[in-house]
């Protein structure tokens, strides 16, 4: 299939470890985000979150994971899990709470927006469109990241009630688990872009899709569950997430 995938054509296992992607505009964007976070940070924990954000951005967009996602749908899902469950909260935690806007919309709106985008971009048609050009690829990536940042800002800000935040986190866990289950238990492969690219890695297209479903079903849920437990603990302790952060 003739696709203009941003990360390049599907590599072989032998080519994978040399498939780093040094795209100057992306590197400049990563550097700008990191500098903003470091300049804004006021505590050790915020600076550690900024460094974590840098490492996750390099993993997602510079490391061979980007190229592997051209070959395996499971790698693409792992890539998106990194973005929405690890990178997004790391960025929010790197920003001082006073710089985050007070929530202006109902808590459900960020959840609905993020849920719709997760399901749309992991449906066969929109997913194939996202691999048709670099512009379509970045539309997928940036909308997923933006909606995840909104959701995590809603859940991590002390200005959002603990009950609403925990509901958002548990609701996201459930909806991602449902999508993961659909992918895992599908009886046929759904993603045309990976019909011929998985065999070199010892996976059939269906097995690759099932692995993707398991990644979305189990590992992707863990950050939301941990955040929900921490938010619940903060209710009983009477402290916000940043109350112990050294200044």
């Amino acid at each position: 299939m003739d696709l203009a995938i941003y990360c390049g054509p599907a590599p072989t296992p032998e080519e994978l470890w040399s498939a780093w992607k040094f795209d100057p505009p992306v590197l400049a964007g990563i550097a700008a985000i990191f500098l903003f976070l470091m300049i804004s940070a006021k505590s050790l924990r915020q600076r550690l979150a900024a460094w974590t954000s840098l490492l996750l951005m390099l993993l997602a967009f510079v490391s061979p994971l980007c190229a592997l996602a051209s070959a395996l749908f499971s790698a693409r899902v792992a890539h998106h899990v990194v973005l929405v469950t690890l990178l997004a909260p790391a960025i929010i935690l790197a920003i001082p709470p006073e710089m985050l806007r007070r929530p202006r919309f109902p808590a459900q709106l960020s959840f609905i927006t993020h849920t719709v985008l997760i399901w749309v971009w992991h449906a066969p048609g929109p997913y194939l469109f996202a691999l048709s050009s670099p512009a379509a690829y970045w539309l997928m990536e940036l909308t997923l990241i933006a909606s995840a940042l909104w959701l995590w800002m809603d859940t991590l800000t002390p200005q959002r009630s603990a009950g609403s935040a925990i509901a958002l986190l548990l609701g996201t866990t459930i909806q991602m688990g449902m999508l993961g289950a659909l992918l895992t238990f599908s009886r046929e492969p759904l993603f045309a872009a990976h019909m011929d690219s998985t065999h070199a890695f010892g996976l059939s297209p269906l097995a690759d899709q099932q692995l993707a479903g398991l990644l979305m079903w189990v590992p992707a849920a863990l950050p939301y569950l941990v955040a929900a437990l921490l938010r619940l603990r903060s209710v009983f302790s009477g402290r916000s997430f940043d109350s112990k952060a050294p200044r």
Side-chain angles (χ1 to χ4, degrees):
M1 182 172 293
D2 188 16
L3 294 171
I5 305 175
Y6 168 78
C7 292
T12 64
E14 294 75 20
E15 298 168 336
L16 180 61
W17 296 111
S18 61
W20 293 77
K21 190 168 183 65
F22 298 101
D23 186 355
V26 173
L27 291 174
I30 290 173
I33 294 170
F34 176 66
L35 287 175
F36 166 75
L37 295 177
M38 288 298 291
I39 291 171
S40 303
K42 296 181 179 180
S43 70
L44 174 60
R45 193 167 81 174
Q46 289 160 7
R47 288 190 288 273
L48 289 175
W51 278 103
T52 300
S53 300
L54 174 63
L55 294 176
L56 291 171
M57 287 187 288
L58 293 175
L59 172 64
F61 297 114
V62 179
S63 82
L65 177 60
C66 186
L68 184 62
S70 297
L72 301 176
F73 182 63
S74 55
R76 180 77 62 196
V77 167
H79 178 266
H80 287 167
V81 168
V82 168
L83 296 182
V84 304
T85 73
L86 298 177
L87 175 60
I91 289 175
I92 296 302
L93 289 173
I95 300 173
E98 60 269 21
M99 292 182 63
L100 299 176
R101 289 186 176 183
R102 186 179 185 85
R104 297 182 178 181
F105 303 101
Q108 298 89 337
L109 190 56
S110 61
F111 168 76
I112 292 171
T113 301
H114 186 59
T115 297
V116 168
L117 287 168
I118 286 286
W119 281 71
V120 165
W121 286 123
H122 295 92
Y127 179 76
L128 188 62
F129 165 74
L131 302 186
S132 65
S133 70
Y137 170 86
W138 282 109
L139 177 63
M140 173 177 68
E141 301 296 89
L142 292 177
T143 53
L144 286 174
I145 295 170
S147 66
L149 286 169
W150 185 12
L151 178 68
W152 281 104
M153 182 171 63
D154 255 1
T155 59
L156 295 179
T157 177
Q159 296 170 334
R160 178 68 73 190
S161 70
S164 294
I166 292 170
L168 289 175
L169 293 163
L170 295 181
T172 304
T173 300
I174 292 170
Q175 66 88 5
M176 292 188 76
M178 291 173 61
L179 178 56
L182 287 175
L183 295 172
T184 301
F185 293 115
S186 175
R187 296 184 178 181
E188 59 183 23
L190 302 173
F191 299 91
H194 299 290
M195 291 299 182
D196 301 318
S197 60
T198 65
H199 298 288
F201 292 87
L203 292 170
S204 68
L206 182 57
D208 175 45
Q209 180 178 297
Q210 291 169 337
L211 176 59
L214 289 173
L215 289 172
M216 188 169 286
W217 194 353
V218 182
L222 295 179
Y224 299 103
L225 293 175
V226 169
L229 289 173
L230 290 175
R231 193 65 195 264
L232 185 62
R233 187 184 70 173
S234 72
V235 173
F236 292 106
S237 66
R239 297 183 178 92
S240 68
F241 279 2
D242 266 4
S243 63
K244 293 185 178 180
R247 298 290 179 182

